[in-house]
Amino acid sequence: MTGWFRRVSAMIASVVVSSPGLARAADPAPVLQAEQSDVAQLPAMGAHWVLPYTKTTAITLYDGDNGHVLGTLPATPLANTVITPDRRTIYITETSWSLVDHGDRHDMLQQFDARTLERVRELALPPRALVGRKQQNFDVDANGKFGFIFDLSPASAVTVVDLSAFRVVRTVDIPGCALVFPWQGGGFSSLCGDGSLTNVAVGSDGKATVTHSKPFFSADGDPVYEQSPAERAKGDAYFITYSGKVMKAHLGPQPVIETAWSIQQAAGQPVAGTGVQELAWRPGGTQPFAMSYYNHHLFALMHMGTYWTHKTAGTEVWELDTQAHRLVRRIDLPTPAKAVAVSQDQKPLLYANGENGNLMVIDLQNGKTLRNTHIDAGAMTLTPP
């Protein structure tokens, strides 16, 4: 080996040994820590949380105070949802098919933890009525003991579920009637096609006793909204007709129904009639009403229209005192809305689902819109009891 070759070889060796980059490559690889899986937990459900149905396959949990999305729950357009009186549990009735849109049908009641949003358990049900996004298809009693699920298979019936034992207790036939409006003392009423109520008392053992009221509205002349609001804690329902008449009913085996009064007359306007060409301010939407039960105020989505425009979105919300039968105020909406809900506290927020998918949050202390956020809001919104 020549001296020149030895000198070049020595220089190359020196570069290899002293090169910082090559020296780091030879260092041991860092040890990666294993990822730890966990489940986030929400705080206890607040009075200003709201659960709007979105237009796709979910219910969104939204904080009305700060405008934050807290989470989502799976729910198809056929789902019906209930928040229990203690706000700890969310129940969803759902229907699916083994081959997406056909095949074996599965009707189920699902129980979700309201803080983790985990599915806790599910129960197979008899075939239920497939009318989604309607609170009166499924509800629970004031104590959260029994769940009532409206069935249509094809006969009208209601499935009674013991929620603590999580089992079906019985199915009660309600021929010619539909929907569930819970009572204070354990039971429910259903609206009937002849303008009456079927009333089902449910004992602690699940035994059902059925009674019937006299007709109190004309199903042909001026029907009542299926979305009429009802208060579980007191068993009071406010049945509202398409023309805008309000009838308060104290529900039970023998319901007591008060004399009707007019929303329009409470606002100092003529009573709205049922003429197809008669223009007046009228209620309308997919969820047109909400009740603030601590002060007995009714919130109604209102629009200018003729009779049979009961599904038209509202351009205003009218706040009405149901005890004094008077208008408290009219609230202009930033955009027409099809659904309205209100929080159940002494500083309430009003929520309105816009036709454009926005959720409007209105401070009822001053009537001002706090936010108008696009969250793909759909046909219905729930607030905690």
Side-chain angles (χ1 to χ4, degrees):
M1 182 181 295
T2 66
W4 175 84
F5 184 80
R6 285 196 299 269
R7 288 194 298 271
V8 172
S9 298
M11 290 173 61
I12 294 173
S14 176
V15 170
V16 171
V17 172
S18 63
S19 172
L22 292 174
R24 283 198 300 271
D27 290 344
V31 178
L32 297 178
Q33 297 296 321
E35 183 177 356
Q36 299 297 315
S37 176
D38 64 350
V39 176
Q41 183 164 298
L42 294 167
M45 187 176 293
H48 288 173
W49 287 21
V50 60
L51 282 72
Y53 279 71
T54 51
K55 295 178 182 177
T56 52
T57 57
I59 301 169
T60 299
L61 278 73
Y62 184 85
D63 190 328
D65 286 324
N66 56 35
H68 292 165
V69 172
L70 303 171
T72 60
L73 286 168
T76 72
L78 295 175
N80 299 119
T81 307
V82 166
I83 305 169
T84 57
D86 62 9
R87 303 181 182 177
R88 294 179 179 178
T89 301
I90 299 171
Y91 290 109
I92 298 178
T93 54
E94 186 63 276
T95 298
S96 64
W97 286 264
S98 59
L99 299 173
V100 183
D101 60 353
H102 64 287
D104 295 332
R105 173 173 165 170
H106 303 279
D107 296 86
M108 67 201 82
L109 171 64
Q110 302 174 95
Q111 178 182 342
F112 291 86
D113 186 303
R115 300 190 71 170
T116 64
L117 305 187
E118 287 186 303
R119 184 185 285 103
V120 178
R121 52 186 175 173
E122 60 186 24
L123 174 69
L125 296 172
R128 64 191 191 89
L130 299 184
V131 185
R133 315 291 167 96
K134 187 172 290 185
Q135 186 173 2
Q136 293 75 15
N137 271 9
F138 167 44
D139 214 332
V140 302
D141 65 11
N143 298 320
K145 176 175 175 55
F146 290 114
F148 308 120
I149 302 162
F150 175 49
D151 302 335
L152 198 63
S153 60
S156 296
V158 172
T159 294
V160 180
V161 176
D162 184 327
L163 295 174
S164 57
F166 212 63
R167 64 182 181 88
V168 173
V169 175
R170 67 180 60 253
T171 297
V172 182
D173 291 332
I174 52 169
C177 308
L179 310 176
V180 291
F181 297 87
W183 304 348
Q184 179 184 25
F188 63 91
S189 294
S190 296
L191 285 170
C192 303
D194 64 353
S196 67
L197 292 171
T198 284
N199 314 292
V200 181
V202 180
S204 58
D205 58 355
K207 183 179 180 180
T209 304
V210 181
T211 59
H212 304 277
S213 78
K214 294 180 179 179
F216 65 98
F217 69 94
S218 171
D220 294 325
D222 194 13
V224 302
Y225 279 90
E226 294 177 342
Q227 299 88 349
S228 295
E231 181 183 12
R232 299 180 195 136
K234 293 185 178 180
D236 290 335
Y238 295 81
F239 293 112
I240 304 166
T241 71
Y242 287 7
S243 69
K245 294 181 177 64
V246 182
M247 293 167 282
K248 181 181 178 181
H250 184 68
L251 302 177
Q254 302 298 327
V256 178
I257 300 169
E258 298 181 2
T259 302
W261 55 276
S262 163
I263 290 176
Q264 295 85 352
Q265 193 171 39
Q269 300 183 13
V271 175
T274 57
V276 294
Q277 299 299 323
E278 183 179 343
L279 194 64
W281 280 99
R282 300 180 185 274
T286 55
Q287 185 181 339
F289 311 107
M291 278 292 301
S292 177
Y293 294 111
Y294 93 93
N295 62 2
H296 308 287
H297 282 195
L298 169 69
F299 296 86
L301 281 171
M302 303 293 290
H303 68 280
M304 182 65 72
T306 58
Y307 194 61
W308 296 117
T309 58
H310 53 282
K311 292 186 179 180
T312 302
T315 57
E316 296 183 5
V317 175
W318 289 14
E319 182 179 354
L320 300 123
D321 186 328
T322 61
Q323 294 181 321
H325 302 172
R326 66 176 181 86
L327 178 71
V328 177
R329 59 180 157 178
R330 295 167 62 168
I331 302 172
D332 287 322
L333 294 173
T335 187
K338 54 197 171 185
V340 67
V342 67
S343 66
Q344 299 300 320
D345 63 324
Q346 295 186 14
K347 294 183 178 180
L349 296 179
L350 182 72
Y351 310 95
N353 293 14
E355 283 191 309
N356 58 1
N358 285 13
L359 178 67
M360 293 164 273
V361 182
I362 299 166
D363 186 348
L364 290 177
Q365 303 299 304
N366 52 31
K368 294 182 179 180
T369 301
L370 297 178
R371 56 189 56 86
N372 186 4
T373 307
H374 187 81
I375 60 170
D376 208 21
M380 179 178 162
T381 285
L382 298 177
T383 53

